[in-house]
Amino acid sequence: STQSTWDIMSKKSGVKQPSDGNVIRIPPNRYIHVLDNNENIRRIVIGPDTFVKKEHESVIKGPEDMIVLPPDHYCVVSNPVVREKGVPKMNQYKEFQIRLGREEIRKSEDFPEPFPLYPGEELIKDITPYKVVENNTALIIRAIRDFAETHAGDKWLFKGPGVYIPKIDEEVEKQIEAIIIKQNQALKIKAIRDTEVKGVKRKAGEIWLEREQGSYLPSVDEEVITPIEGKVLTDKKALHLRATANFKDKYAIDRKAGEEWLVTKEQAEVHIRDVYEDIVGEVKLTTLAKNQYCVVIDPVDKEGTPQLGKRELRRGEATFFLKPGESLKSGIQNVRVLSEHQSLLLQAREDFLDESLKRPAGCKWIVRGPREYVPPVEVDILEERQSIPLDENEGIYVRNIKSGEVRTVKNTVYMLTADEVLWEKELTDEVEELLAVQASGGGFAPVVVTDAGARTYKQDKPADYKRDKTRAITFRAPHNSAVQLFDFKSKKSRIVFGPDLVMLQPYEEITVLRLSGDVPKKENQLKNLALLLGPDFMTDQIIVETSDHARLFLRLAYNWKFEVDHTSLETESKIFAVGDFVGEACKTLASRIRGAVSGATFDLFHKRSTEIIQDAVFKKDDKGNYHPFLIKTNNLLITSVDIQGVEPVEESTRKSLELSVKLSIDITSKTQEDKARHEAERLEQQAKGEREKQAIDDEAEAEKKRITLYQYQATSASVETTGKALATARAKAEAAEINGKAEVNQAQLQVDALKITQKAELELIKSRNEAEENHNKAMTELEISTQKELAAIEASKFQKTIESLGKDTLIAMAKAGPEAQAKLLKGLGLKGYMIIDSKNPINLFNTAQGMIASVPEASSIPKQIFVPITFHSSIPVSYTHL
């Protein structure tokens, strides 16, 4: 029972069975591996058995379960043992012989009984059932080594249904499933390598469609790119295709690369795109009703040739598909139905005949209603126009595109002509904003007071306001106001007094008023287009200073109005002479008031503030009446001044005055009491002070003596130290000065000596060169003169000799010698001779040639000889060829 219990536990948990020392009990279907340490041989012990381990033996594995292969299962073992007739073979060392590096598939058919793993064997793939390949599936098998007629790397299919039994020389790469080709569907397939499919040879890279309905299992030489769904064609839908290569399509039509065409329901109800076809898109049926038309650009004729650059008008009722290359200009359009207040602006694209009227290209004209109109292909509709009804207070700006003139049209129902367009009048942003505010019912900007008491002026443009820039601009001038307009074309201005409606002409602009606001006054706080003439008031706050330097805040209100002189435009426009009349008026009045207050004390100003300010602003007549103050620059009349408030500028001054009044009472009541007490304390402190003063005086006198002593000691030490330092420094300075001067003098002397030496050498070289140059020059001139004189003497001598001999004598002398020599030679029988004078040169060229030449017959002796001519003195002798 104990043995069976351990067997169950070891199988479930893998716990090793205990042994009694060297005794191991091996159950059935289990084994151990034993190593003989003496011989280093491994062996197997298979149960059931009881193994007694010896001292030189050790158990290296086990007990282990044997491998049991159920039916239709297999496992893979590496380094399998060598078997002979099913029995493991042992080597010469009595150890099981294994095939190192090899693998073995052990199938249930070959190993129906449990078997152990022998020493060296290893289970690399656990027990695995055979692969069941179902219908419409297949396994891609790849050879991992050469066997039979199969080479490593070859692939093939194992198609189902069936059971795949693995082999050691091949491996399963993956499992594939058949692809179901449904109705109106095809598979796009590519050949990976050269192959044959259904009797058709395919080359590597070739792509084709498999259209046959049903399941399709691609071979290992095929690659399924993608399934292709067929496009269903209806009466209202066609397919636009483009060829990517030359091929013959399904409908037996030859197509060229780049060609485009339509496939309609008349050809096929369902079209599956071929591999060399691209679907450009679907083309919807174009339907034209009776009151519709369209213009087809680049229409295709009946032969399928596109008419590039042409247009074709098609009018309903009609249905058609747009062919490739065709397009609609502006789509399907309705026939233009014009009422009596409508018209069309037309332009001719090219010359054509319009109802017996010739229209040149670029010509524009108007077609007015009531009528129906369909434009020919030669005509473009530029725009549709409506009649513009205008009241007497309404207008539009119209520009003539031929002349460029802009004018205002009002109080009529107006239809623009072919040469007219609406003109947009541009305004500045601030004018636009002010017009928008007035259109919303506003005027001046409202005052907003913040929590801190500051005033701001906010003037927001309405969000829904949008001005039609072609409409004449109108502005309502309020009652008792004036608006200034300036015409930039005529360089003139006009003023409109309200209440009135102002209509701007094309080149007129409204003058924008930028006024000061807030208290105290700040510039550019208010903007308006109309100048209010008053009477009105304005409030300002200024700071004044009295003669006793009391600074006060004055809050003043001025009543004003404009005095308008309507006699002429020049006098009327005077009210616009000052852009910010509020700011200028407040500055002028503040200056007058400050000047008047500065001459009065605070008490006087406090008692007579109104009178002082009135005197500063207005003039008083003899009766004591005040007259209004007129600002002549813009005719602004100040009628009255009201003082709304006066207060000190410094807050601390106000508080100090209040505190001083309160303290004065306390000081007066305590004065007498403090006086007596202070007197007693004074006397006591005086006596005490005198005593302490004497002690302090004595101590101060002692300190003075001590300070004097310290001063004398410090002075003595200072004098001693200063004397030593001065003597040492002065000696060093004088020594350094002497050495420096000596070195400087020595350097200067060396420089002077070097300069003298170099100057002497230069003078010597210069003198030597000049003497040599003069000597050479004199010798050259002497030699030249000598040669000249010798040449002259020789020439004169030769000339005189020739003249003394004469011409005939020279001829006779020349002939006498040669003739005598010729006779002498003839008499002596000599062929020739030569007399040489060693002092004179002889020309031997022709002489030598004559001597070495062959001697001719006597009858053929040449009549030429060399005759020596000897002159007297040392004249050179030459031989003349006679």
Side-chain angles (χ1 to χ4, degrees):
S1 62
T2 304
Q3 179 67 32
S4 60
T5 303
W6 277 108
D7 289 343
I8 296 171
M9 291 178 64
S10 63
K11 289 181 180 179
K12 290 184 177 180
S13 61
V15 179
K16 301 297 181 181
Q17 179 183 5
S19 60
D20 298 332
N22 294 329
V23 178
I24 299 176
R25 297 176 178 84
I26 306 173
N29 294 331
R30 306 192 78 184
Y31 66 97
I32 63 173
H33 289 174
V34 180
L35 174 63
D36 189 336
N37 294 317
N38 291 338
E39 297 179 355
N40 199 22
I41 295 175
R42 295 175 296 175
R43 61 190 177 90
I44 187 170
V45 179
I46 301 175
D49 196 358
T50 299
F51 174 71
V52 179
K53 184 177 69 171
K54 300 177 183 179
E55 290 182 357
H56 64 277
E57 292 179 337
S58 60
V59 177
I60 59 176
K61 184 177 181 181
E64 297 285 344
D65 291 330
M66 290 186 181
I67 299 174
V68 180
L69 294 177
D72 296 331
H73 283 68
Y74 73 99
C75 66
V76 180
V77 178
S78 66
N79 304 325
V81 298
V82 179
R83 297 176 184 272
E84 286 184 357
K85 297 180 181 181
V87 178
K89 183 180 178 181
M90 302 185 74
N91 58 17
Q92 57 184 349
Y93 305 107
K94 296 182 181 182
E95 191 177 36
F96 292 103
Q97 186 177 350
I98 60 175
R99 294 178 292 171
L100 292 174
R102 300 295 184 91
E103 296 177 358
E104 183 181 74
I105 296 178
R106 296 180 179 177
K107 296 173 282 190
S108 59
E109 295 85 359
D110 300 330
F111 294 85
E113 298 297 331
F115 62 93
L117 292 177
Y118 288 89
E121 289 183 335
E122 183 179 355
L123 184 67
I124 61 173
K125 187 172 183 180
D126 205 356
I127 300 172
T128 306
Y130 292 153
K131 181 71 176 178
V132 178
V133 183
E134 299 179 354
N135 191 22
N136 290 332
T137 61
L139 297 178
I140 297 180
I141 311 299
R142 182 171 66 89
I144 59 177
R145 60 178 63 90
D146 295 345
F147 66 94
E149 297 180 357
T150 305
H151 301 283
D154 289 349
K155 296 181 182 180
W156 62 93
L157 289 183
F158 180 87
K159 298 182 180 180
V163 177
Y164 173 71
I165 300 175
K167 297 180 181 179
I168 199 62
D169 300 317
E170 60 190 34
E171 66 177 1
V172 177
E173 189 170 271
K174 64 178 179 179
Q175 179 176 340
I176 62 173
E177 296 182 358
I179 301 174
I180 306 300
I181 302 177
K182 301 178 182 179
Q183 187 178 6
N184 300 332
Q185 194 180 52
L187 285 182
K188 189 175 183 180
I189 301 174
K190 179 181 179 180
I192 301 175
R193 57 185 66 85
D194 294 347
T195 183
E196 184 174 350
V197 181
K198 294 183 180 180
V200 180
K201 293 184 178 180
R202 303 288 185 180
K203 294 183 178 181
E206 184 178 355
I207 302 175
W208 69 94
L209 289 184
E210 181 60 39
R211 301 173 184 267
E212 185 177 352
Q213 188 174 347
S215 63
Y216 182 80
L217 194 62
S219 68
V220 293
D221 300 326
E222 300 173 3
E223 178 186 2
V224 177
I225 299 176
T226 182
I228 298 178
E229 298 290 339
K231 297 289 184 179
V232 179
L233 305 178
T234 63
D235 294 334
K236 297 182 179 180
K237 183 175 70 174
L239 208 58
H240 182 186
L241 304 178
R242 181 190 295 120
T244 59
N246 296 337
F247 76 107
K248 181 177 287 187
D249 66 4
K250 180 183 177 182
Y251 312 106
I253 300 175
D254 291 328
R255 302 294 185 184
K256 295 182 179 180
E259 182 181 357
E260 297 182 5
W261 67 96
L262 288 183
V263 177
T264 61
K265 186 182 178 181
E266 297 176 359
Q267 294 173 288
E269 292 185 353
V270 177
H271 179 77
I272 300 176
R273 176 172 61 89
D274 208 326
V275 294
Y276 299 111
E277 294 177 351
D278 281 342
I279 297 178
V280 180
E282 293 181 357
V283 180
K284 301 294 183 181
L285 183 69
T286 302
T287 303
L288 298 178
K290 184 177 181 180
N291 59 342
Q292 292 179 330
Y293 73 98
C294 67
V295 176
V296 180
I297 301 175
D298 302 332
V300 178
D301 59 12
K302 296 180 179 180
E303 297 177 1
T305 304
Q307 307 296 312
L308 299 178
K310 293 187 177 181
R311 299 187 179 191
E312 180 180 341
L313 178 65
R314 298 179 185 178
R315 188 167 180 178
E317 302 172 340
T319 57
F320 57 93
F321 288 108
L322 284 176
K323 297 180 180 179
E326 293 182 342
S327 60
L328 295 182
K329 179 189 176 184
S330 304
I332 298 174
Q333 303 178 58
N334 294 325
V335 175
R336 299 298 182 105
V337 179
L338 304 177
S339 66
E340 61 180 350
H341 297 296
Q342 291 179 314
S343 65
L344 293 176
L345 178 61
L346 308 177
Q347 184 178 21
R349 298 178 61 253
E350 58 188 40
D351 297 344
F352 79 107
L353 195 63
D354 180 20
E355 297 177 355
S356 71
L357 181 62
K358 187 176 181 180
R359 302 281 189 186
C363 175
K364 294 182 181 180
W365 70 97
I366 291 287
V367 173
R368 300 178 183 271
R371 61 172 294 179
E372 286 186 359
Y373 184 76
V374 177
V377 294
E378 299 87 357
V379 176
D380 288 335
I381 298 177
L382 300 181
E383 63 179 10
E384 180 177 339
R385 293 180 173 178
Q386 300 280 346
S387 297
I388 305 174
L390 301 172
D391 190 35
E392 61 180 356
N393 293 327
E394 294 178 324
I396 56 174
Y397 300 117
V398 178
R399 176 190 286 274
N400 189 300
I401 59 176
K402 287 187 176 180
S403 64
E405 181 183 0
V406 181
R407 60 192 180 92
T408 304
V409 178
K410 62 180 181 178
N411 196 21
T412 185
V413 178
Y414 190 76
M415 175 70 74
L416 295 174
T417 64
D419 298 326
E420 292 178 341
V421 294
L422 291 175
W423 181 73
E424 294 184 353
K425 182 175 177 59
E426 299 291 341
L427 297 175
T428 60
D429 293 340
E430 59 181 0
V431 175
E432 290 278 9
E433 182 179 352
L434 293 172
L435 288 175
V437 170
Q438 195 203 49
S440 63
F444 281 93
V447 179
V448 178
V449 181
T450 62
D451 297 335
R455 299 185 176 191
T456 59
Y457 296 83
K458 190 174 182 181
Q459 196 171 31
D460 293 331
K461 180 180 178 180
D464 57 348
Y465 174 80
K466 187 176 181 181
R467 181 177 68 88
D468 186 358
K469 296 182 180 182
T470 61
R471 289 279 177 167
I473 299 171
T474 57
F475 177 77
R476 298 187 301 274
H479 175 73
N480 199 22
S481 67
V483 178
Q484 186 182 36
L485 307 174
F486 184 77
D487 193 323
F488 286 90
K489 185 177 182 181
S490 61
K491 306 297 182 183
K492 294 181 180 180
S493 62
R494 62 188 179 100
I495 296 176
V496 178
F497 290 92
D500 199 355
L501 184 68
V502 180
M503 180 178 291
L504 269 66
Q505 296 303 314
Y507 299 101
E508 281 186 337
E509 296 291 340
I510 304 178
T511 300
V512 179
L513 301 176
R514 299 175 183 84
L515 306 178
S516 298
D518 206 347
V519 177
K521 288 292 179 280
K522 298 178 184 177
E523 295 182 353
N524 295 328
Q525 295 295 307
L526 300 174
K527 293 181 182 179
N528 198 13
L529 299 177
L531 177 63
L532 301 181
L533 301 179
D536 206 340
F537 73 96
M538 54 188 174
T539 305
D540 193 14
Q541 180 176 297
I542 63 175
I543 298 176
V544 296
E545 186 174 355
T546 62
S547 60
D548 51 358
H549 304 293
R551 302 178 75 243
L552 304 172
F553 277 123
L554 293 185
R555 190 177 183 86
L556 306 173
Y558 310 107
N559 291 330
W560 58 269
K561 68 176 182 178
F562 280 96
E563 291 288 335
V564 182
D565 185 2
H566 294 283
T567 56
S568 65
L569 178 62
E570 182 177 355
T571 56
E572 288 180 346
S573 61
K574 194 173 181 181
I575 59 177
F576 290 93
V578 179
D580 184 6
F581 74 91
V582 175
E584 292 296 326
C586 288
K587 289 178 183 178
T588 301
L589 297 174
S591 176
R592 284 172 164 262
I593 294 171
R594 288 192 188 98
V597 174
S598 64
T601 62
F602 175 75
D603 292 335
L604 179 62
F605 178 75
H606 186 68
K607 296 176 181 177
R608 301 176 56 194
S609 58
T610 302
E611 183 180 353
I612 292 173
I613 292 176
Q614 294 282 358
D615 292 338
V617 176
F618 305 110
K619 289 183 179 181
K620 186 186 295 185
D621 57 12
D622 298 336
K623 297 180 180 180
N625 299 324
Y626 290 101
H627 295 280
F629 173 63
L630 178 65
I631 300 176
K632 297 182 180 180
T633 306
N634 58 347
N635 287 343
L636 178 64
L637 191 65
I638 306 299
T639 57
S640 64
V641 179
D642 180 26
I643 302 174
Q644 296 182 343
V646 179
E647 61 184 30
V649 174
E650 293 85 4
E651 184 68 20
S652 59
T653 303
R654 184 187 302 109
K655 292 182 179 180
S656 298
L657 291 175
E658 294 176 356
L659 184 60
S660 63
V661 173
K662 181 179 180 181
L663 292 177
S664 62
I665 299 173
D666 296 337
I667 292 171
T668 304
S669 61
K670 293 181 179 181
T671 301
Q672 298 299 327
E673 181 183 353
D674 293 339
K675 186 176 181 180
R677 186 175 66 255
H678 288 166
E679 184 64 23
E681 291 177 355
R682 184 183 67 78
L683 296 174
E684 181 182 358
Q685 291 295 333
Q686 184 176 2
K688 185 179 180 180
E690 289 177 355
R691 185 172 62 253
E692 291 179 355
K693 180 181 178 183
Q694 186 63 38
I696 292 172
D697 290 341
D698 295 341
E699 186 177 354
E701 186 66 25
E703 289 295 330
K704 287 180 181 180
K705 298 297 182 180
R706 191 180 295 111
I707 290 172
T708 303
L709 176 61
Y710 290 155
Q711 287 178 350
Y712 288 154
Q713 291 176 352
T715 303
S716 176
S718 175
V719 169
E720 182 180 358
T721 304
T722 303
K724 290 182 180 180
L726 287 175
T728 303
R730 188 174 299 160
K732 290 182 179 180
E734 289 177 355
E737 183 178 4
I738 292 170
N739 291 334
K741 289 181 178 180
E743 291 177 358
V744 171
N745 293 331
Q746 184 180 0
Q748 184 65 36
L749 292 174
Q750 290 177 355
V751 171
D752 294 341
L754 182 61
K755 287 182 178 180
I756 294 170
T757 303
Q758 291 178 350
K759 186 175 181 181
E761 290 178 355
L762 289 174
E763 292 293 336
L764 180 60
I765 294 171
K766 184 176 180 183
S767 300
R768 187 183 296 113
N769 290 338
E770 290 179 355
E772 185 177 354
E773 182 180 0
N774 294 332
H775 175 71
N776 291 336
K777 185 176 180 181
M779 292 299 293
T780 302
E781 291 177 354
L782 180 61
E783 186 178 356
I784 292 172
S785 62
T786 302
Q787 292 295 332
K788 286 182 178 180
E789 290 177 359
L790 289 176
I793 293 170
E794 289 294 332
S796 176
K797 180 180 178 181
F798 182 74
Q799 184 177 3
K800 290 178 180 179
T801 302
I802 295 302
E803 288 177 357
S804 63
L805 292 176
K807 181 179 180 183
D808 296 337
T809 303
L810 290 174
I811 293 172
M813 290 174 64
K815 290 180 178 181
E819 288 178 356
Q821 291 175 1
K823 290 177 181 181
L824 180 59
L825 289 173
K826 187 175 180 182
L828 295 175
L830 298 176
K831 295 181 180 181
Y833 77 100
M834 180 173 56
I835 301 172
I836 300 174
D837 186 355
S838 61
K839 296 182 179 179
N840 299 313
I842 300 175
N843 186 354
L844 298 179
F845 290 103
N846 292 332
T847 304
Q849 183 178 1
M851 291 177 66
I852 65 174
S854 58
V855 179
E857 295 295 331
S859 58
S860 61
I861 294 175
K863 296 179 181 180
Q864 54 181 347
I865 60 175
F866 292 92
V867 181
I869 301 175
T870 303
F871 293 95
H872 195 268
S873 185
S874 58
I875 299 176
V877 178
S878 62
Y879 294 88
T880 305
H881 186 271
L882 300 180

